[in-house]
């Protein structure tokens, strides 16, 4: 057996030459000094998410992450200084934008902060940074859930009057979110894009309310004296920082960009610039509109403040729509946050930091396990906070009074954790640049990061660390909800909960293979009753319309059917005409090809029909044709097809029929036509004339005689003419493979039925046409196999089966390519696998023939099994192997050994007998081997092939000394 070749390396991923003196830091990065920086490959590349996104989708995700209604509505109490706060907050966020874009170019274009820090600082720092960003996503998701529940409260305040109802609200909303996140990302991205449009529309309407207020003649509510920001409104500065954070989060999903060319991957990260080019002007425009309307009147619930502005300007209906938009927007943000956070879990699990089960993907390409875990943790966190805060104090985080403060509280923690994670990113970038500058032997690598570029990046990172610290101090130092949280209480609560979240998250991150997962929640899928009623009403209206038009449709349908029937019906016999016969044959062939079933086509031609027309006239001929059509239909039944092909020829199509069944039906047709004379009444006064009609019938079988309509028609017509030339009034089958005017038969079939003979002729024709040596090898085995069976005192029926099995034991080799069957040299593994399939192929072929052949099929399928169980295809052993199959195994092996092969010479009779004795009780049944050796000593036993004889000649065949060669067992 040839050894399997070593798998070739992909042609598009050459392995660069490594230098043994590389720095350990660069070796950890898995980079070479000769190539640009790139991210390290994951330790466990288990599964890949489908690529369904575009760069435009990342822009949508970035905008949906950042743009929010709440910061704009809060700006009403700050004055025009809020615009300056927005600009200052953008300066805080600007280093994150610059460094994120640089890292996407220099380190990795996919994976976001987790992948960047893993590449720069190693897996440990990558897990810490990933933990911080995941915690920020958890708090942001929880805040969005709380915001959604607050909107529910505004719609119907009595809904969450008790803790049980609050629990139901959280579970209901979680179930809705769960249903959305399990939509494939290729479809979900369009839903999120629509939610983004609604989100931007509600913020735009809030701003337009102020502009329309001024255009309607009202004075601006905010005094121009409040242009400069005052220290009393510093809490809005920290809120503005929160309102601009998170635009770089979609970097984690860049690996799912489709049709991403390696040379164009550098452009994937450009979405962040485009995102903030939209976000900042949008916030400034909307904030100015709010200032024009509200001035410094600050409502304790900013959501209701914004809704009131829209209601006063656009009306109550529009304000309700905006409230719905707000609810949809917060739900969409929740879905997006869960999707991005689950990608962090997926990548960490793929890198071996979390259980591998989190990388499981369903058929739609959804990482369902990581999504389930993320949803479960979020729901548990919200419920736990609700139960703790409600049980310890009077603070209800889901109520309209406390819901927004709690939402702002969670958002404050999200901002602090996100800023801490950004500080880690800046620190790792500085460490990396400084490390490169201190190692002169990496000068070739430094060419990719020039000194000016490195200095610029270090400066931006240092500035970023300073701005992040300023942002953290501002968030902690100014209460976002002074009506609920005093300044001291705000400082203590925010710092405490942030530290607790980090500690708990750190402990969870240190357990790499956590096996506890939360169960999924059932989806809530209800239909609106109004829509159902409308559909029912429309259905009833359609029913009335259908009833009114039914008479017309019935008349048109009847006329159409009559015309269609006349187009495919023969007017004399009322059978399908030539056109219908052709169409039915095509349909039957398609069905047979799909189901891999056989099909029979019968041509029935009336003998000497011209004499009837000449003697009694065409009316008599038409009457005979009509009666023949009736008898044909009665014979074949309603499950088969009968049609008039033309003239005195009829076509019969038998679906799911083998040779034996086709012959039986043909014989019934022939007897049905012949057994009863046709009565022709010339006129009322004349004596009726009895007309005796016979028919010659030709048969062709799919797929034995062809796989096309033309081939089957040709063979059936040829067989029909052969029947006429052989004396008429008979059934005949000829084969496309035979020579002119010759029917292939087999010797020694005198005891077989006519149906078995027809089937044997068809199968042997296929064998002889494909490989003559295989055919002759089978013929040589018939007499020897029968003699061994008689020696073992087998019954007559079993001897009958042994003969048939010997004839067709290699019928499965018709599926073996000639290049393998007659290969001069040894076969390789793949070629042997093809050879080993031929017993099962032969079994399938004979099973379709039906009758006795179904029993023989089981024998043929086992004739390569071994006595010790090492054979094929089933691995049968001992008495499990049928006796007939054991006989064939011995006779087949003997004939193969004494016959010549292309790649070796035959061995002598004595050597073959010695080999059989040697393999007894291992490969062969020793009892069968002993009987076979005794048979070889008999004087009247021959091992030579018999010559075929002509049809209907059942005399003993002559012997032929020609032997086969080149046979493979």
């Amino acid at each position: 057996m040839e050894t399997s070749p070593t798998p070739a390396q992909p042609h598009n991923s050459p392995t660069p030459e490594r230098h043994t003196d590389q720095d350990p830091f660069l070796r950890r990065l898995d980079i070479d000094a000769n190539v640009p920086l790139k991210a390290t490959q994951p330790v466990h590349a288990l599964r890949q998410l489908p690529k369904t996104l575009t760069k435009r989708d990342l822009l949508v995700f970035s905008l949906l992450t950042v743009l929010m209604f709440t910061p704009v509505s809060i700006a009403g109490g700050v004055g025009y200084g809020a615009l300056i706060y927005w600009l200052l907050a953008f300066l805080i966020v600007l280093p994150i934008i610059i460094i994120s874009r640089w890292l996407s170019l220099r380190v990795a274009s996919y994976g976001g902060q987790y992948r960047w820090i893993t590449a720069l600082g190693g897996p440990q720092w990558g897990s810490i940074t990933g933990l911080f960003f995941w915690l920020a996503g958890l708090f942001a998701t929880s805040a969005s859930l709380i915001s959604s529940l607050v909107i529910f409260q505004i719609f119907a305040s009595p809904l969450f009057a008790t803790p049980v109802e609050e629990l139901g609200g959280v579970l209901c909303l979680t179930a809705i979110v769960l249903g959305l996140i399990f939509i494939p990302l290729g479809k979900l991205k369009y839903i999120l894009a629509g939610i983004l449009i609604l989100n931007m529309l509600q913020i735009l309407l809030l701003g337009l309310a102020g502009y329309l207020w001024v255009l309607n003649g009202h004075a601006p509510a905010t005094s121009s004296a409040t242009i400069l920001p005052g220290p009393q409104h510093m809490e809005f500065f920290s809120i503005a920082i929160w309102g601009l954070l998170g635009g770089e989060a979609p970097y984690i999903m860049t690996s799912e960009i489709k049709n991403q060319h390696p040379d164009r991957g550098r452009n994937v990260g450009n979405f962040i610039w485009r995102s903030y080019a939209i976000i900042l002007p949008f916030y400034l425009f909307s904030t100015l509109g709010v200032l024009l309307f509200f001035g410094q009147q600050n409502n304790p619930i900013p959501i209701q403040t914004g809704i009131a502005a829209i209601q006063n300007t656009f009306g109550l209906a529009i304000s309700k729509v905006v409230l719905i938009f707000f609810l949809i927007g917060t739900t969409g943000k929740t879905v997006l946050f869960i999707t991005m956070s689950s990608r962090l879990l997926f990548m960490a699990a793929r890198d071996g930091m979390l259980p591998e089960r989190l990388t499981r993907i369903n058929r739609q390409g959804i990482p369902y396990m990581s999504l389930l875990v993320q949803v479960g943790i979020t729901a548990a966190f919200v419920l736990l906070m609700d139960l703790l805060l409600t049980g310890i104090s009077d603070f209800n985080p889901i109520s309209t009074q406390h819901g927004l403060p709690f939402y702002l509280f969670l958002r404050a923690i999200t901002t602090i954790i996100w800023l801490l994670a950004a500080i880690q990113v800046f620190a790792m970038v500085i460490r990396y640049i400084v490390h490169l500058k201190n190692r002169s032997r990496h000068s070739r690598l430094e060419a990719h990061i020039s000194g000016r570029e490195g200095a610029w990046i270090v400066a931006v990172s240092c500035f970023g660390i300073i701005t992040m610290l300023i942002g953290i101090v501002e968030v902690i130092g100014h209460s976002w909800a002074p009506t609920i949280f005093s300044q001291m209480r705000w400082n203590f609560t925010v710092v405490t909960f942030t530290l607790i979240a980090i500690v708990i998250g750190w402990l969870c991150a240190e357990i790499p293979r956590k096996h506890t997962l939360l169960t999924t929640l059932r989806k809530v899928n209800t239909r609106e009753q109004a829509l159902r009623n409308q559909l029912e009403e429309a259905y009833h209206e359609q029913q009335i319309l259908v009833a009114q038009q039914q008479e017309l449709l019935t008349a048109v349908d009847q006329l159409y059917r009559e015309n269609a029937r006349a187009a495919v019906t023969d007017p004399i016999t009322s059978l399908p005409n030539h056109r219908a016969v052709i169409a039915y044959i095509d349909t039957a062939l398609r069905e047979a090809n799909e189901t891999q079933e056989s099909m029979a086509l019968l041509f029935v031609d009336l003998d000497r029909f011209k004499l009837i027309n000449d003697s009694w006239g065409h009316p008599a001929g038409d009457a005979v044709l009509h009666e023949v059509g009736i008898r044909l239909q009665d014979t074949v039944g309603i499950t088969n097809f009968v049609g008039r092909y033309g003239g005195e020829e009829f076509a019969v199509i038998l679906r799911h029929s083998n040779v034996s069944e086709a012959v039986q039906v043909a014989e019934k047709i022939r007897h049905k036509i012949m057994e009863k004379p046709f009565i022709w009444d010339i006129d009322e006064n004349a004596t009726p004339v009895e007309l005796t009609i016979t028919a010659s019938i030709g048969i062709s079988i799919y797929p034995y005689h062809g796989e096309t309509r033309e081939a089957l028609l040709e063979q059936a017509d040829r067989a029909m003419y052969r029947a006429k030339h052989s004396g008429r009034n008979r059934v005949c089958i000829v084969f496309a493979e035979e020579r002119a005017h010759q029917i292939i038969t087999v010797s020694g079939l005198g005891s077989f039925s006519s149906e078995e003979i027809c089937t044997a002729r068809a199968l042997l024709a296929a064998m002889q046409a494909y490989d003559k040596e295989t055919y002759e090898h089978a013929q040589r085995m018939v007499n020897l196999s029968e003699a061994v069976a008689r020696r073992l005192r087998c019954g007559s029926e079993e001897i009958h089966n042994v003969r048939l099995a010997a004839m067709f034991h290699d019928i499965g080799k018709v599926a073996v390519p000639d290049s393998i069957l007659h290969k001069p040299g040894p076969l390789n593994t793949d070629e042997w696998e093809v050879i080993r399939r031929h017993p099962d192929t032969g079994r399938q072929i004979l099973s379709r023939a039906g009758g006795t052949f179904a029993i023989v099929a089981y024998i043929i399928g086992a004739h390569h099994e071994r006595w010790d169980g090492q054979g094929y295809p089933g691995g049968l052993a001992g008495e499990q192997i049928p006796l007939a199959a054991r006989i064939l195994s011995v006779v087949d092996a003997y004939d193969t050994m004494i016959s010549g092969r292309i790649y070796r010479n035959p061995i002598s009779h004595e050597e073959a007998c010695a080999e059989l004795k040697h393999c007894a009780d291992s490969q062969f049944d020793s009892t069968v081997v002993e009987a076979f050796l005794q048979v070889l000593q008999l004087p009247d036993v021959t091992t030579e092939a018999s010559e075929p004889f002509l049809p209907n000649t059942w005399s003993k065949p002559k012997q032929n000394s020609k032997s086969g060669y080149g046979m493979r067992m």
Side-chain angles (χ1 to χ4, degrees):
M1 181 183 299
E2 298 180 4
T3 59
S4 58
T6 303
Q9 297 292 337
H11 69 279
N12 58 353
S13 57
T15 303
E17 182 181 354
R18 300 291 184 188
H19 293 271
T20 57
D21 61 344
Q22 265 191 350
D23 182 74
F25 179 78
L26 292 178
R27 286 200 299 270
R28 184 172 70 247
L29 291 181
D30 190 28
I31 61 176
D32 184 49
N34 296 315
V35 298
L37 275 172
K38 61 180 181 180
T40 58
Q41 295 295 331
V43 178
H44 302 288
L46 300 176
R47 299 176 177 91
Q48 296 292 335
L49 294 173
K51 299 182 182 298
T52 57
L53 299 179
T54 63
K55 291 184 288 186
R56 188 179 304 161
D57 297 326
L58 298 182
L59 175 61
V60 170
F61 295 163
S62 178
L63 292 174
L64 186 57
T65 302
V66 178
L67 285 174
M68 285 176 284
F69 185 90
T70 304
V72 177
S73 62
I74 293 176
V78 180
Y80 291 114
L83 301 177
I84 298 178
Y85 281 136
W86 278 118
L87 296 176
L88 293 176
F90 180 73
L91 290 178
I92 297 292
V93 177
L94 184 59
I96 299 179
I97 302 173
I98 297 174
I99 296 302
S100 297
R101 179 60 182 135
W102 183 83
L103 288 171
S104 69
L105 290 173
R106 290 298 189 184
V107 178
S109 61
Y110 69 97
Q113 293 88 343
Y114 167 75
R115 185 63 66 205
W116 298 334
I117 300 305
T118 301
L120 296 179
Q124 184 175 4
W125 281 107
S127 64
I128 295 174
T129 304
L131 167 66
F132 273 75
F133 282 108
W134 181 81
L135 285 175
L138 174 63
F139 277 94
T141 306
S142 303
S144 296
L145 282 173
I146 295 298
S147 179
S148 300
L149 292 172
V150 170
I151 300 302
F152 274 127
Q153 282 286 59
I154 295 175
F155 265 122
S157 56
L159 281 180
F160 304 128
T162 65
V164 175
E165 293 173 348
E166 294 172 1
L167 173 63
V170 174
L171 293 178
C172 181
L173 187 58
T174 306
I176 294 174
V177 172
L178 188 64
L180 289 175
I181 63 176
F182 273 91
I183 298 175
L185 190 58
K187 298 179 180 178
L188 180 62
K189 64 181 183 181
Y190 298 110
I191 299 177
L192 295 178
I195 293 176
L196 172 63
I197 295 174
L198 298 180
N199 192 35
M200 296 178 71
L201 183 60
Q202 64 174 336
I203 300 174
L204 185 64
L205 288 174
L206 181 60
L208 288 176
Y211 294 107
L212 293 177
W213 171 270
V214 175
L215 291 177
N216 289 333
H218 299 86
T222 302
S223 173
S224 60
T226 60
I227 294 177
L228 295 178
Q232 69 274 19
H233 299 301
M234 287 298 291
E235 72 276 1
F236 181 76
F237 178 46
S238 57
I239 291 176
I241 296 174
W242 152 51
L244 290 173
L245 278 179
E248 74 279 10
Y251 273 114
I252 199 172
M253 305 181 74
T254 49
S255 62
E256 300 176 54
I257 299 293
K258 60 183 177 181
N259 300 326
Q260 181 177 341
H261 193 276
D263 297 336
R264 301 176 182 174
R266 300 167 60 87
N267 298 326
V268 172
N270 286 336
F271 74 89
I272 192 168
W273 291 113
R274 300 171 185 170
S275 175
Y276 280 96
I278 298 173
I279 292 170
L280 184 59
F282 206 82
Y283 271 149
L284 293 175
F285 174 83
S286 301
T287 300
L288 180 58
V290 171
L291 294 174
L292 293 175
F293 188 87
F294 282 105
Q296 293 183 318
Q297 298 177 1
N298 193 12
N299 192 300
I301 303 180
I303 297 175
Q304 293 184 353
T305 302
I307 297 301
I310 296 173
Q311 180 177 343
N312 291 336
T313 305
F314 299 103
L316 179 61
I318 298 299
S319 66
K320 292 294 184 180
V321 172
V322 170
L323 202 58
I324 295 174
F325 287 177
F326 190 92
L327 177 61
I328 295 174
T330 55
T331 305
K333 288 179 181 292
T334 304
V335 172
L336 180 59
F337 293 157
I338 290 176
T339 301
M340 292 189 293
S341 300
S342 67
R343 263 52 179 185
L344 262 177
L345 296 178
F346 180 86
M347 287 193 296
R350 197 176 62 178
D351 289 351
M353 299 180 185
L354 292 175
E356 182 182 343
R357 69 186 64 179
L358 293 178
T359 63
R360 294 176 182 173
I361 302 173
N362 64 12
R363 294 180 180 178
Q364 288 75 33
I366 300 174
Y368 66 94
M369 190 60 71
S370 60
L371 284 172
L372 286 175
V373 172
Q374 185 66 37
V375 171
I377 293 175
T378 303
F381 176 77
V382 172
L383 292 174
L384 180 62
M385 295 294 292
D386 179 27
L387 294 176
L388 287 177
L389 293 175
T390 305
I392 295 174
S393 64
D394 294 333
F395 186 88
N396 186 356
I398 308 180
S399 66
T400 55
Q401 179 183 3
H402 299 148
L404 180 70
F406 185 57
Y407 167 76
L408 295 176
F409 168 72
L410 293 178
R411 277 297 192 175
I413 297 178
T414 302
T415 304
I416 294 174
I417 295 176
W418 195 275
L419 294 175
L420 288 174
I423 290 176
Q424 296 179 43
V425 175
F426 292 139
M428 284 295 106
V429 170
I430 295 173
R431 173 179 176 270
Y432 169 69
I433 297 296
V434 172
H435 180 87
L436 285 183
K437 294 301 179 182
N438 292 336
R439 306 304 294 263
S440 59
R441 62 177 175 173
H442 295 291
S443 59
R444 286 179 294 177
L445 182 60
E446 292 174 14
H448 297 284
I449 303 178
S450 63
R452 181 178 299 178
E453 178 184 358
W456 162 251
I457 294 301
V458 169
V460 173
S461 298
C462 292
F463 178 71
I465 292 176
I466 296 173
T467 58
M468 296 302 105
L469 292 175
I470 293 174
I472 293 174
V473 171
E474 289 297 323
V475 174
I476 297 175
H478 299 87
S479 175
W480 289 8
T483 59
I484 302 298
F485 294 97
S486 64
Q487 186 59 51
M488 183 175 295
R489 185 180 181 186
W490 174 267
N491 296 341
F492 175 77
T493 307
V494 169
V495 173
T496 301
F497 272 84
T498 302
L499 292 177
I500 291 175
I502 293 175
V503 171
I504 293 176
W506 172 267
L507 293 177
C508 294
E510 290 300 317
I511 303 174
R513 295 287 178 180
K514 187 176 181 180
H515 296 291
T516 56
L517 298 175
L518 298 177
T519 60
T520 60
L521 302 175
R522 295 184 179 181
K523 301 177 183 179
V524 177
N525 185 18
T526 59
R527 296 184 178 181
E528 297 182 359
Q529 189 64 36
L531 178 60
R532 183 181 294 110
N533 294 337
Q534 292 176 5
L535 292 176
E536 291 179 355
E537 182 179 353
Y539 174 76
H540 291 310
E541 291 177 356
Q542 290 180 356
Q543 287 295 100
I544 295 174
L545 181 61
V546 169
Q548 293 175 349
Q549 297 178 348
Q550 190 62 40
E551 289 187 21
L552 178 61
L553 292 176
T554 303
V556 171
D557 181 69
Q558 182 178 359
L559 180 61
Y560 171 79
R561 292 179 181 275
E562 290 176 356
N563 292 336
R565 189 181 301 109
V568 295
T569 303
D570 176 56
I572 297 176
T573 62
S574 298
L575 296 175
N577 59 15
H578 180 87
R579 176 183 176 184
V581 170
I582 297 299
Y584 193 87
I585 293 175
D586 292 338
T587 302
L589 283 176
R590 284 194 299 270
E591 179 183 333
N593 184 47
E594 292 174 357
T595 60
Q596 298 297 310
E597 295 284 346
S598 60
M599 182 199 80
L601 172 63
L602 279 60
F603 259 14
V604 180
D605 187 88
L606 303 182
D607 297 329
R608 298 183 176 88
F609 184 75
K610 187 174 180 300
L611 294 177
I612 297 177
N613 285 331
D614 294 343
S615 301
W616 306 103
H618 288 282
D622 293 344
V624 170
L625 291 176
H626 182 78
E627 179 64 23
V628 168
I630 294 175
R631 296 186 184 185
L632 288 176
Q633 285 184 317
D634 293 341
T635 304
V636 302
I638 61 174
T639 59
N640 295 309
F641 177 86
V642 178
R644 184 184 178 191
Y645 191 75
E648 65 270 22
E649 294 182 354
F650 294 84
V652 178
I653 301 172
L654 307 177
R655 293 190 177 189
H656 314 298
S657 297
N658 52 39
V659 175
S660 176
E661 295 169 344
V663 171
Q664 292 179 5
V665 173
E667 287 294 336
K668 289 180 180 179
I669 291 174
R670 187 176 65 84
H671 286 290
K672 186 72 174 181
I673 294 174
M674 178 183 61
E675 65 183 1
K676 184 179 179 181
F678 293 82
I679 307 300
W680 166 242
D681 292 326
I682 302 176
D683 52 45
E684 296 180 358
N685 300 322
T687 304
V689 178
E690 293 184 354
L691 303 176
T692 301
I693 303 296
T694 62
S696 299
I697 304 175
I699 302 175
S700 62
I701 306 294
Y702 170 89
Y704 301 121
H705 301 117
E707 298 184 357
T708 64
R709 166 170 42 92
E710 292 77 10
L712 292 178
L713 289 172
E714 179 184 357
Q715 295 303 319
D717 187 68
R718 187 176 178 186
M720 181 269 294
Y721 278 104
R722 179 65 49 78
K724 284 188 174 294
H725 295 159
S726 300
R728 296 184 176 85
N729 192 22
R730 63 188 62 206
V731 177
C732 185
I733 304 177
V734 293
F735 300 93
E737 299 87 352
E738 69 178 297
R739 296 182 294 272
H741 305 295
Q742 179 184 1
I743 299 178
I744 296 180
T745 60
V746 63
S747 62
L749 293 176
S751 61
F752 292 178
S753 68
S754 59
E755 293 82 1
E756 290 174 337
I757 293 173
C758 292
T759 304
R761 290 173 180 171
L763 296 176
L764 286 175
M767 288 178 59
Q768 189 179 41
Y770 182 74
D771 184 67
K772 186 177 180 181
E773 285 74 20
T774 301
Y775 171 79
E776 294 179 349
H777 165 69
Q779 292 299 305
R780 290 195 300 270
M781 288 180 55
V782 172
N783 292 335
L784 283 176
S785 301
E786 179 184 359
V788 174
R790 294 185 183 280
R791 190 75 179 181
L792 293 173
R793 301 182 183 276
C794 296
S796 59
E797 182 177 353
E798 189 166 6
I799 294 173
H800 177 83
N801 294 336
V802 167
R803 288 185 60 85
L804 275 179
M807 293 177 194
F808 304 114
H809 74 284
D810 277 340
I811 186 66
K813 287 185 178 179
V814 298
V816 179
D818 187 70
S819 59
I820 297 177
L821 195 61
H822 294 109
K823 183 177 179 180
L827 302 179
N828 58 32
T829 303
D830 294 337
E831 292 169 339
W832 269 117
E833 286 299 322
V834 175
I835 288 291
R836 287 174 179 269
R837 288 198 295 265
H838 85 270
D840 191 61
T841 303
R843 179 190 61 78
Q844 296 178 20
I845 293 174
L846 288 186
S847 295
R848 296 178 182 177
T852 304
F853 294 97
I855 301 175
V856 175
Y858 178 67
I859 299 173
I860 290 177
H863 83 278
H864 273 297
E865 302 288 356
R866 292 171 52 107
W867 184 258
D868 55 8
Q870 300 300 314
Y872 60 89
L876 303 178
E879 298 293 336
Q880 294 177 331
I881 308 172
L883 176 60
R886 285 178 266 155
I887 295 173
L888 291 184
S889 178
V890 173
V891 178
D892 189 18
Y894 173 79
D895 189 79
T896 301
M897 287 187 289
I898 66 173
S899 302
R901 292 177 179 264
I902 292 180
Y903 61 91
R904 66 172 176 81
N905 295 325
I907 63 177
S908 64
H909 165 77
E910 291 75 11
E911 292 173 327
C913 292
E915 182 67 19
L916 291 176
K917 293 178 181 178
H918 176 72
C919 295
D921 287 329
S922 59
Q923 181 176 353
F924 308 116
D925 182 354
S926 58
T927 303
V928 177
V929 171
E930 181 180 356
F932 176 73
L933 296 177
Q934 293 174 1
V935 166
L936 292 179
Q937 304 300 322
L938 300 176
D940 58 342
V941 174
T942 176
T943 62
E944 298 178 345
S946 300
E947 182 178 344
F949 58 94
L950 295 178
N952 301 326
T953 304
W954 308 105
S955 58
K956 185 175 180 180
K958 299 178 180 179
Q959 304 297 330
N960 189 350
S961 60
K962 184 177 180 180
S963 61
Y965 63 96
M967 300 299 299
R968 297 188 185 273
M969 291 180 60

